[in-house]
Amino acid sequence: SIIQLQKEKEELVIEKEKAHDESRKVYQSQIETLSRQIIDIQEHSLSNDTSTEQSKLEVEEELANERQIHAKLQLQFQEEVLALRDENDTLQRQLKDLTEVHKNVICEQLTHKLILFLFLLGW
């Protein structure tokens, strides 16, 4: 029984060492992969420095163009708003005039009806 336990213990130790070896291999592989990726990134970064500066200038130029377009559109919008306000004022005046004319027409009709009514009563 003790011999059996020692054998099981030795087998567990061997399995443990194998597992540690496998883990070391996996970690070593991951370290090598990450190291290659870091080197690739550094090389890519160095080659991108000049293209990044050029891209930055292109983005700034595009942004300036967008700002110019925005300013033009904003001015156009303000002009349209002013034109709509003028049109609204004109329509408000016309509505006021038409309302006044309508009131006058109604007053005239009522006056005629009153005169006709009084005439029929014999006044």
Side-chain angles (χ1 to χ4, degrees):
S1 171
I2 293 177
I3 294 174
Q4 175 104 13
L5 289 173
Q6 283 180 339
K7 283 184 181 181
E8 287 178 12
K9 181 182 174 186
E10 287 175 10
E11 288 175 5
L12 288 173
V13 168
I14 291 171
E15 284 182 34
K16 184 178 173 186
E17 288 176 1
K18 284 182 182 178
H20 282 298
D21 284 344
E22 288 296 319
S23 292
R24 273 190 236 117
K25 287 179 184 176
V26 169
Y27 288 134
Q28 186 63 34
S29 173
Q30 289 175 346
I31 289 171
E32 289 172 2
T33 301
L34 289 173
S35 295
R36 280 194 301 268
Q37 288 176 347
I38 289 171
I39 291 171
D40 289 346
I41 288 171
Q42 288 172 338
E43 290 174 355
H44 188 69
S45 175
L46 289 174
S47 68
N48 276 345
D49 282 349
T50 56
S51 64
T52 300
E53 191 63 32
Q54 184 178 357
S55 294
K56 185 178 176 184
L57 291 174
E58 289 171 359
V59 167
E60 287 174 359
E61 183 178 332
E62 189 174 327
L63 185 59
N65 288 340
E66 291 294 327
R67 284 184 181 142
Q68 190 176 20
I69 290 170
H70 176 72
K72 286 179 183 177
L73 288 174
Q74 193 171 17
L75 181 63
Q76 205 173 24
F77 175 75
Q78 289 172 347
E79 289 172 352
E80 288 176 14
V81 166
L82 289 175
L84 287 172
R85 283 183 183 159
D86 288 345
E87 186 178 343
N88 184 43
D89 290 345
T90 301
L91 289 172
Q92 289 288 345
R93 281 192 300 276
Q94 289 175 351
L95 177 63
K96 186 178 177 185
D97 293 346
L98 286 173
T99 303
E100 190 64 33
V101 168
H102 185 254
K103 283 188 338 192
N104 290 341
V105 167
I106 289 175
C107 285
E108 278 184 40
Q109 287 176 346
L110 288 174
T111 304
H112 285 115
K113 286 182 181 179
L114 180 63
I115 292 172
L116 181 61
F117 180 72
L118 290 175
F119 177 74
L120 290 175
L121 285 178
W123 284 83

